[in-house]
Amino acid sequence: MADHIKIRPATGTWVVRAAGAVLGESTQALELVEGDYPPVIYFPRADIAMAFLEPSDTTTTCPYKGAARYYTIQAKSGAIPDAAWSYEDPKADVSEIKDYLAFYTSKVAVEEV
């Protein structure tokens, strides 16, 4: 793993909310810290209401984690474009995040409860 990436279990229970609705809650979330960036909470896909997420055409590539696929949240108040991302086939050094989703905290609420 790149020395600047650390992945560990996120202690406690974590919730993600969008447009007032709870999209998921997990006690199995992971915390990923990359360099000086703020920690990012990754939720197991099984703990997220995937019916509200639609794959978008957006993709990015991280030299350390691999290719990311993005998702738009379909909320009652309208679409929240590219609010979540997933490394569906991550590099071996960060394989723990496979089948996990992360969310932009500027678009949704990610909180420990």
Side-chain angles (χ1 to χ4, degrees), residues 77-107:
S77 57
I80 306 171
D82 297 334
W85 71 92
S86 175
Y87 291 94
E88 296 179 9
D89 189 21
K91 293 194 174 200
D93 288 344
V94 294
S95 62
E96 300 100 316
I97 61 174
K98 181 175 176 58
D99 298 324
Y100 280 70
L101 290 159
F103 295 84
Y104 282 107
T105 56
S106 59
K107 298 181 178 195

Side-chain angles (χ1 to χ4, degrees), residues 29-54:
L30 297 175
E31 180 184 67
L32 184 145
V33 177
E34 183 172 1
D36 293 332
Y37 292 107
V40 175
I41 301 299
Y42 280 75
F43 289 82
R45 192 177 292 254
D47 292 346
I48 299 296
M50 294 300 295
F52 295 100
L53 277 70
E54 290 183 4

Side-chain angles (χ1 to χ4, degrees), residues 5-85:
I5 296 177
K6 307 281 188 245
I7 300 171
R8 65 180 184 196
T11 58
T13 300
W14 289 84
V15 67
V16 58
R17 292 183 180 91
V22 174
L23 294 179
E25 183 176 308
S26 183
T27 59
Q28 303 299 313
L30 297 175
E31 180 184 67
L32 184 145
V33 177
E34 183 172 1
D36 293 332
Y37 292 107
V40 175
I41 301 299
Y42 280 75
F43 289 82
R45 192 177 292 254
D47 292 346
I48 299 296
M50 294 300 295
F52 295 100
L53 277 70
E54 290 183 4
S56 78
D57 292 332
T58 305
T59 61
T60 59
T61 302
C62 170
Y64 306 107
K65 296 185 289 281
R69 179 178 197 175
Y70 288 75
Y71 293 84
T72 294
I73 297 170
Q74 297 300 329
K76 278 186 177 182
S77 57
I80 306 171
D82 297 334
W85 71 92

